[in-house]
Amino acid sequence: MVLVLAPISALKKIDSLKFTSALSVALAVLFVLLSSGIALVKALEGHLEKPQLVPSFSSKRSILDLLTVIPIMTNAYICHFNIQPIYYELKNRSATRMNRVGRISTVVCVTVYMATAVSGYLLFGEATASDVLTNFDKNLGISYSALLNNVIRIGYVIHLMLVFPVIHFSLRQTIDSCLFPRASPLVHSKFRFFGWTFTLLSLVFLGSTVIPNIWIAFQFTGATSGLSLGFIFPALVILRAQTQQSELGSWARPFAWMMVVIAIIASLLGVSTNIYNVITRQE
């Protein structure tokens, strides 16, 4: 927190995070290459167990666990809050160039997430933990297992630390804009800038020590803020644009309403299922 997150989070322009962001993507790709390579080696040696290809519906618990997966998956594609600051600092910015950035980012995310999921599930099967890094603390059954485990764990931890400041940048900016709408821009006030940085980092650190499992955090954020940012708010923007005589096609309005309804249903199911799971596990 002190040596890595605080200094990087104190940068005032999101453009200053381009090198750390590029390194974080490279580390994510390294994780995929190593885990996929390990899975391939074990497959060639005949040491992989046949994975379960479809979800289990044998019990109420299995069905409830399945319902919580969809909100969690929304966390993987939530980057909407960074579009405005990135667009503002984009060279020769235009809607066309920004759309290209969004499409390339989505393709990279889909590729990395799919490769991570497939290789991780092939390696650990039913023993795959909610935090997959905990799976890389035992013998993988191949040569140099300890070295590969350390490289994967350390590399991915660094990746997570480098991703955090990009999310924190928009969080800090949004909170300041909501509480001080008439004040000067945040970057022009050192007191507000560093005050919010210290406050938010302290709250994040406190939350990380209190929440026992990252899976629980992903469940609730995915079912609330994830679905809101990824589906509800963009759909509401479309509906608002439709009322202002925009050039959107006739399909936009019914499609936007469909997104809102589906997201609300998924959110209600996700939150209620998460609360039920937490209560029953405590009992």
Side-chain angles (χ1 to χ4, degrees), residues 82-102:
N82 284 326
I83 290 179
Q84 286 85 358
I86 291 176
Y87 179 76
Y88 180 75
E89 298 183 17
L90 187 68
K91 292 182 179 179
N92 301 321
R93 60 179 180 266
S94 66
T96 302
R97 294 198 69 197
M98 193 65 216
N99 286 336
R100 189 181 304 120
V101 171

Side-chain angles (χ1 to χ4, degrees), residues 214-235:
I214 191 63
W215 188 257
I216 296 176
F218 279 154
Q219 285 178 330
F220 282 100
T221 56
T224 53
S225 61
L227 287 168
S228 298
L229 288 170
F231 295 91
I232 297 177
F233 294 162

Side-chain angles (χ1 to χ4, degrees), residues 28 31-32 35-36 39 51-52 73 77 109-125 128-129 132 136 156:
F31 175 88
V32 169
S35 59
S36 300
Q52 179 180 328
M73 290 175 62
Y77 299 99
C109 287
V110 171
T111 304
V112 171
Y113 292 145
M114 286 184 63
T116 302
V118 172
S119 61
Y121 192 55
L122 286 176
L123 281 175
F124 307 113
T128 304
V132 73
F136 289 97
Y156 209 77

Side-chain angles (χ1 to χ4, degrees), residues 30-41:
L30 176 64
F31 175 88
V32 169
L33 293 176
L34 289 176
S35 59
S36 300
I38 295 170
L40 179 61
V41 170

